[in-house]
Amino acid sequence: MSDAAQPSAAEVRAAAEAVKAALDRHLDAVERRSGQDDPAVYAAFDELAAAAEVYDELLYDTYDEVTPFEIPGNEALPAYAGPEEPSALSVLIRRDYTVAEPQRLLHQAQRIADLDPDAADEAAGNGVDAAAVVGSSVHAALGVLFGEFEPDEIASRHKEFGLEEGDSTLWVAAADDPSEPGEWLSAPFDQADPQRVVCRFDVSAVFDEELGDDDLLEPLDHER
């Protein structure tokens, strides 16, 4: 970068003050959080990440120095190459779970099968007599559980079903035209195009567990 284009010392100082203010807002949001997924905490986290990135870049450009922090964000997507005004959308969702308490899962699935044996048999699939085996088969229990409840309800009640949440992501992708009925059911994820993603929303334990207010982060790896 040329001397003429370099940020001024005042700009670096202002960016540092912005980081301090963002830290205060983030801590305030954490202290006032209304629950595990409080949107105010996520918003304050994003503001802190943005302020830290600006400060780091200005510090490096001006003084050839780096901060000892890096706040992880969403994986970068390629430049958007979809239509300016999308007329159709595909919403792609992935949620990961661990079967943390198999006995709880089996018990809940057995309860469902006992209440409605025919629906449980259909959900378990492959001609399974769910009422007979669901209490001892995690495979059959998962079929019954996901056949009975909508994915959003399972997400909100996962502990009740013996599941532990992992990472999740939601992509909103633009399409040129609505799909024909049944067009993509045989391979629903083959046409996922990152360049068609309008927006995405990620949730990961890394944001909560690896980032404390007092132990921010990992060294940046700038090329010198």
Side-chain angles (χ1 to χ4, degrees):
M1 178 179 290
S2 67
D3 291 341
Q6 281 186 337
S8 67
E11 288 177 299
V12 180
R13 175 62 61 181
E17 294 300 324
V19 172
K20 297 175 189 178
L23 275 168
D24 287 338
R25 288 193 295 271
H26 181 256
L27 180 57
D28 183 64
V30 170
E31 290 174 338
R32 296 170 181 268
R33 73 190 313 161
S34 59
Q36 183 177 357
D37 297 322
D38 190 335
V41 175
Y42 286 110
F45 177 92
D46 289 339
E47 291 175 9
L48 175 57
E53 183 176 0
V54 170
Y55 172 62
D56 184 79
E57 292 297 330
L58 291 175
L59 186 71
Y60 183 70
D61 289 343
T62 305
Y63 298 112
D64 199 30
E65 290 295 338
V66 299
T67 65
F69 323 124
E70 181 179 18
I71 299 179
N74 293 342
E75 291 294 322
L77 288 169
Y80 178 70
E84 282 292 322
E85 301 291 338
S87 60
L89 299 172
S90 290
V91 179
L92 310 174
I93 301 174
R94 172 172 173 169
R95 294 184 176 126
D96 284 0
Y97 296 96
T98 301
V99 181
E101 300 181 70
Q103 290 305 314
R104 181 182 291 272
L105 170 65
L106 296 172
H107 173 76
Q108 292 286 12
Q110 186 67 64
R111 181 179 61 84
I112 295 168
D114 290 342
L115 290 172
D116 191 349
D118 292 338
D121 290 346
E122 182 178 351
N126 297 324
V128 171
D129 180 0
V133 304
V134 73
S136 58
S137 167
V138 170
H139 182 278
L142 289 171
V144 169
L145 177 66
F146 281 87
E148 178 71 13
F149 298 104
E150 294 291 331
D152 286 346
E153 186 170 5
I154 291 175
S156 66
R157 300 171 59 185
H158 62 278
K159 292 184 179 179
E160 179 182 338
F161 302 127
L163 303 176
E164 182 177 317
E165 285 184 311
D167 290 353
S168 66
T169 189
L170 182 151
W171 291 18
V172 179
D176 294 319
D177 299 297
S179 299
E180 294 295 328
E183 179 181 345
W184 48 257
L185 289 179
S186 62
F189 306 111
D190 285 358
Q191 297 179 357
D193 183 353
Q195 289 189 297
R196 290 289 184 122
V197 174
V198 177
C199 55
R200 66 180 284 180
F201 304 93
D202 297 334
V203 177
S204 174
V206 70
F207 299 136
D208 298 323
E209 295 175 0
E210 292 188 3
L211 303 180
D213 290 315
D214 296 324
D215 76 273
L216 285 174
L217 323 174
E218 299 177 355
L220 285 172
D221 185 18
H222 277 286
E223 292 185 1
R224 297 269 185 170

